[in-house]
Amino acid sequence: MSRVLKYTVTGLVLVGTALLAFYLYAINTVNFSVDKATAAHTEARQAFLADLPDTDCLRAADITGIARARGWDAVQPSQFDWCVAPDTVQTWLRVTVEPPLPFSTEDENAHIFAFDEAGCAVDWSYASGPGSTCAE
């Protein structure tokens, strides 16, 4: 073997060993737990929903107050461009749940409320066809 080849092989072995050592160190010292972050988000969402008043007409102001007390954003988007049911939804409220889910979008971190003509929260779902905003 030539000297250059020996040095190249030795160098590659040393670099590989260093990378393996760093990888093992990172695995043992850095918390990569996605499950903990997901659980924290889920627990925060459930606690928020549990704090909402149990009333026949849950209003956006009630929800917004509880969200803001937690330091969360609560905004009323001007429109919601998804196909949803029922087609009688008049307004929307988007609450950003913290902490966020790992590797997620804004939509995945939001709890979205729908309100009818009287301003009361209503159950809604993504849908198309009769009775939805995408009836055709």
Side-chain angles (χ1 to χ4, degrees), residues 27-46 97-103 109:
I27 289 295
N28 291 318
T29 59
V30 178
N31 182 5
F32 292 109
S33 177
V34 171
D35 291 340
K36 287 182 183 175
T38 301
H41 175 88
T42 302
E43 289 169 12
R45 182 185 299 259
Q46 289 172 343
V97 178
E98 298 287 341
L101 290 165
F103 312 108
N109 289 313

Side-chain angles (χ1 to χ4, degrees), residues 9-94:
V9 169
T10 303
L12 289 173
V13 167
L14 289 173
V15 168
T17 303
L19 287 173
L20 178 62
F22 177 75
Y23 174 77
L24 292 173
Y25 170 78
I27 289 295
N28 291 318
T29 59
V30 178
N31 182 5
F32 292 109
S33 177
V34 171
D35 291 340
K36 287 182 183 175
T38 301
H41 175 88
T42 302
E43 289 169 12
R45 182 185 299 259
Q46 289 172 343
F48 167 70
L49 294 174
D51 286 348
L52 295 176
D54 185 18
T55 177
D56 290 339
C57 184
L58 181 60
R59 300 198 173 272
D62 299 327
I63 299 167
T64 300
I66 292 169
R68 295 224 169 112
R70 286 175 152 71
W72 297 356
D73 286 334
V75 295
Q76 288 187 312
S78 58
Q79 61 185 21
F80 192 69
D81 292 330
W82 292 87
C83 296
V84 299
D87 61 357
T88 57
V89 171
Q90 299 295 307
T91 58
W92 298 94
L93 179 67
R94 176 192 183 92

